Amino acid sequence: MERSRMNRASSSRLSELPQRVESNRMSMVYATPQSKQSFGKLNIPKPQSVTSERRTSFFGSRTSGAGMARNSAFGAFGGAEKMKDPRPLHDKAYVQQCIRQLCEFLSEKGFPGSMSVKSLQSPSTKEFLKIFEFIYCLLDPTFQMPTSKVEEEVPRILKDLGYPFVLSKSSMYSVGAPHTWPQVLGAVVWLIDTVKVFCCMSDQDLLFADFSDGSTEIEDGVEFNKLFLDYTAETYNKFMQGADTFDEEDADYLAKLKRLYNVDEGLLASMEEKYRILSGEVERLEKESQTDRLMVKRTEKVKLQTDLQKLQSYRSNLESFKANLENKASGLAEELEASGLQVETLKQEESRLQHILSTQKFTPADIERINWEKRELQQTINSLSKSLEQAEQHMWNEEIALAKAKETAEVKLAEYHKLARKLKLIPVSAENACGHDFEIRTSTEYGPSTMVQCRTQIQQLLRKLITDVDEECSRLTDMKLSLEESIEQVNSNISDKANDLKQLREQIRRLDEQLEQDMQDIAHEEQKWSAEMESVETHRKLLEKKVTLGYDESVEQLKAAQQQYHLVLQETNEERRTVVNNLASVLTTAANHLSIVEKFLEDQHKRVDRVYVEAFREDEVDIQKMKDIMESFIAKVNSM
């Protein structure tokens, strides 16, 4: 009884180690994303002195008295240091594996929408938000995706959940881009793993099992909870101070439980002795009843029931395996469809490039001249960029000099106007002015406060202009990276198609050789069957001739016998019956032989016709397959 109470007392924990995490008697998963106390964001207090040791855990900062530091594992992601993602997210095979894992998870959980491996190659931002909202609702059913600032909400939610890597806001603007989708896919796979862990632990109440249901016993009362919490806090304090064994605390806790439930040691000893005696009696009775037929039948019945359960479980496993195979078959069909669409796209691209090649009017000399002009323009752009940077640095120096020395304002103002005209910022209708007035009047027309205000306004406009230029440069850089990746993918596809073309040519050569060999075999078989037909026909004619001769001879013998009938009638009836019987047997034998020969010839003729028809049909099927293969190959070659 005491042992059962102890087991029930510790049933709310998965491990016998002291607990490290506080519980608010509610699941952290159902907290809203705006909650500040979410998993992964730890409050790390500052050390009180340079020599003090710091421990980071959910219980705050503790100082070791024994000099042995024990850091909590829950503070692994609490620092501001950025971690490098060790996963090979730039490996195409790994990315495809993650996409298949995401597709299987969505289909398993019943995603409300059509989702395939092809659509997950580069999803749109809208599709990604639907997938993210569906997965996160498995953790928090009350969650709803906001309609604004989702590029800030999604990284914040992942950070609150404890995602150890940084997901930038800019990646939310173009989720399906080749340079951003692998990082976003890695975050989604991590979220899927989190959901799986939550589903495994949702049915297990790790702390405070007394709030699970109403059918609790006395150990779920207030006194038991108080003893259990005191025991947990005391052992945890010892554990944080460096202790690994808690024999004294365990003995004290056991003694308190015995006092709480009024455990009688004598009663326990007597119950154990009684249990030992009864166990020995049961074993003796089982040995004595081994020869009993009823017990044997019962044992066989139990074995048969066990086998039935095993067969049922094996059947369920086979059904699940069949369902998995069907899912994989559907996935392969979708991949095959995607490959077909990609082939059609490549065909269209080839036809477009062929059309451009056939209609272009440039000569190699024109192309060389265009390339030379392109290099010249690139050098001009580089020099102008350097000039622009030097001009911006000079403008910044001039503004600082203007703040330090007011007596040189007119000279610096003239230089500023000159530089602004070079940059096409003055007048208002200039190219880079964008409708803003960058001109500064002389200090005689305006007061000092007006000059400061005008300078501030112009500085803000210039900073905005510089920011726009930097954003345009970054956008062009991203576009360049995406184009380079596309070119690399197209080159790899071209090399794969070239290898496939070589393999198809080799297959065609082999098929041509096989076709020629088959045609030779067919001609040889036809000659063989024709020779056999001729021999059979000759044999049939010979048999007919022999039967005809035998019949004529029999007729002549019959006539002679009729002429001599009257002469031999007086000789003996026995001789007459003998002659009649001999004649009848000869006729019967001849007729039977004739019918057997005709039946044999008909069977041989039918068998030869059937074999010839089957061979002809098989040859026609093979020839048709060869024609289809040739037509498909010619179509593929023409399409390439």
Side-chain angles (χ1 to χ4, degrees), residues 270-283:
S270 62
M271 293 295 290
E272 289 178 355
E273 182 66 18
K274 186 176 180 181
Y275 173 77
R276 185 179 60 80
I277 295 171
L278 291 176
S279 299
E281 186 69 16
V282 168
E283 291 177 357

Side-chain angles (χ1 to χ4, degrees), residues 8-13 25 204-216 219-220 224-225 228:
R8 288 195 297 270
S10 60
S11 62
S12 61
R13 298 180 54 200
R25 297 180 181 267
Q204 302 175 1
D205 193 6
L206 299 182
L207 296 175
F208 302 102
D210 52 313
F211 292 94
S212 59
D213 53 11
S215 60
T216 57
E219 58 265 25
D220 297 331
F224 171 78
N225 288 336
F228 182 73

Side-chain angles (χ1 to χ4, degrees), residues 246-291:
F246 313 97
D247 297 332
E248 297 179 359
E249 287 78 11
D250 291 339
D252 189 13
Y253 179 64
L254 184 60
K256 290 180 180 178
L257 285 177
K258 289 180 179 179
R259 287 197 301 269
L260 176 62
Y261 296 107
N262 297 322
V263 176
D264 190 0
E265 296 290 342
L267 180 60
L268 287 177
S270 62
M271 293 295 290
E272 289 178 355
E273 182 66 18
K274 186 176 180 181
Y275 173 77
R276 185 179 60 80
I277 295 171
L278 291 176
S279 299
E281 186 69 16
V282 168
E283 291 177 357
R284 185 181 62 80
L285 291 175
E286 286 178 352
K287 291 180 180 179
E288 291 177 355
S289 61
Q290 287 181 356
T291 58

Side-chain angles (χ1 to χ4, degrees), residues 160-257:
D160 291 343
L161 287 175
Y163 185 64
F165 311 112
V166 178
L167 191 65
S168 60
K169 294 191 295 184
S170 59
S171 61
M172 295 292 103
Y173 293 102
S174 57
V175 174
H179 60 282
T180 58
W181 173 234
Q183 283 76 17
V184 178
L185 181 61
V188 174
V189 171
W190 180 88
L191 185 59
I192 288 174
D193 294 337
T194 304
V195 171
K196 290 180 179 178
V197 172
F198 169 71
C199 292
C200 293
M201 298 177 63
S202 61
D203 295 333
Q204 302 175 1
D205 193 6
L206 299 182
L207 296 175
F208 302 102
D210 52 313
F211 292 94
S212 59
D213 53 11
S215 60
T216 57
E217 298 178 359
I218 187 171
E219 58 265 25
D220 297 331
V222 178
E223 293 83 4
F224 171 78
N225 288 336
K226 184 176 182 302
L227 288 177
F228 182 73
L229 290 176
D230 293 340
Y231 167 75
T232 304
E234 186 176 0
T235 53
Y236 185 80
N237 290 332
K238 293 292 184 63
F239 177 73
M240 293 302 293
Q241 291 175 5
D244 290 326
T245 58
F246 313 97
D247 297 332
E248 297 179 359
E249 287 78 11
D250 291 339
D252 189 13
Y253 179 64
L254 184 60
K256 290 180 180 178
L257 285 177

Side-chain angles (χ1 to χ4, degrees), residues 315-338:
R315 179 184 177 185
S316 62
N317 292 332
L318 286 179
E319 291 177 354
S320 61
F321 180 73
K322 179 181 178 183
N324 292 330
L325 289 179
E326 291 176 353
N327 293 331
K328 290 181 181 179
S330 62
L332 291 175
E334 292 174 356
E335 290 180 359
L336 182 61
E337 183 181 358

